[in-house]
Amino acid sequence: MELEELPNIGATTAEKLRDGGFNSIESIAVANPAEIKEIGGIGEAVAAKIINAARDSMEMRFMTGTEVLEKRKTMKKIPTSSSALDELLGGGIESQAITEFFGEFGSGKTQIGHQLAVNIQIPDEETGIGKSVIYLDTENTFRPERIIQIAEGAGMDPESVLENTIVARAYNSDHQMVIIDRVESVIKEKNVGLIVVDSLTSHFRADYTGRGMLADRQQKLNRHMHDLQKLSDMHNLAVVVTNQVMARPDFFFGDPTTSIGGHIVGHSSTFRLYLRKSKGGKRVARLIDSPSLPDGEAIFSVVKEGIRD
Ligand code: GTP
Ligand code: MG
């Protein structure tokens, strides 16, 4: 359903709303009247009507517990190539969920993204998955050469792995959101089982600087996460996002996630892993606030072949 189909929205208002990041009926339904008023350039009463109409038009999906269980049975787990990390995650990175890797620079977030881009493609007979990957690269750190190395390390054909790695470069936060908004056809066409967003937050930080813009930024990030969550749910795919945060050793046993963007992201990710550098080039992943798994830590390393114990 298009925005224009809602009452009180003409072509001009629809365009303004889209420019402001309201791309879908759902995004309107969860908005508040003040933002719709401001972005759409309309009166508050009209804004409220539009939001109500958006809510009314949304299909309400109720499921029985049995149906939820059936759906969870179709859930896949992508192995990470580190048995310690797999164990921490209860088997691997889950589909129908968002997993966030956050940590300081060089903590291994991008390397894990590359490893998972390869591992989602491990043939179906071994993992029950064997799908392709969309790699949303915001920092220009995607390296096909590294994919080749990791694929070789996994005993896979590097050429075919690269062929099934679909890369999108996002140049700013709006671009990033539009890519996710338009990605559905690619998901179906290429049988995508994993979306990597590396980094989730860097453009949002750059594009919304200053105090006054904090609320806008969080709202946009929230919507972006919501779009990703919906894709993971509808297509039984895994979403993996990265988020750079400053190392704060002094603060470590408090909340290491108080950084910019951390709060909103924290509430919509299903699994959150905090990565930190450790002695001898080792990396430590700590699982935080998982709804279904015990908190704990895993040690892994980044080697030529990719991620290993
Ligand atoms: P930011 O994006 O800067 O926040 O960092 P990140 O968390 O994405 O770090 P990244 O995954 O890029 O990890 C960098 C670390 O992985 C480096 O310090 C290296 O130790 C290791 N690494 C990266 N590339 C290679 C490689 O090709 N071979 C090997 N053996 N190690 C690598
Ligand atoms: Mg990185």
Side-chain angles (χ1 to χ4, degrees), residues 155-209:
M156 296 164 74
D157 170 31
E159 273 174 41
S160 106
V161 170
L162 272 186
E163 225 20 65
N164 291 309
T165 303
I166 300 126
V167 184
R169 279 289 310 280
Y171 297 99
N172 56 49
S173 58
D174 285 337
H175 189 202
Q176 184 174 335
M177 290 180 78
V178 171
I179 290 171
I180 291 304
D181 198 50
R182 299 289 152 83
V183 85
E184 201 146 17
S185 57
V186 184
I187 292 174
K188 288 181 190 145
E189 191 188 322
K190 302 280 189 180
N191 191 24
V192 169
L194 168 69
I195 300 177
V196 177
V197 185
D198 182 24
S199 136
L200 175 77
T201 42
S202 58
H203 282 320
F204 287 90
R205 275 181 201 158
D207 296 348
Y208 298 86
T209 49

Side-chain angles (χ1 to χ4, degrees), residues 104-111 114 135 139 141 198-199 242 244:
E104 66 170 318
F105 71 94
S107 56
K109 304 181 291 294
T110 297
Q111 293 303 309
H114 280 62
Y135 202 105
E139 299 183 309
T141 51
D198 182 24
S199 136
T242 69
Q244 196 195 68

Side-chain angles (χ1 to χ4, degrees), residues 280-298:
K282 294 276 181 196
R283 301 284 186 279
V284 182
R286 186 212 279 214
L287 185 67
I288 290 172
D289 295 339
S290 161
S292 50
L293 295 169
D295 288 2
E297 290 193 340

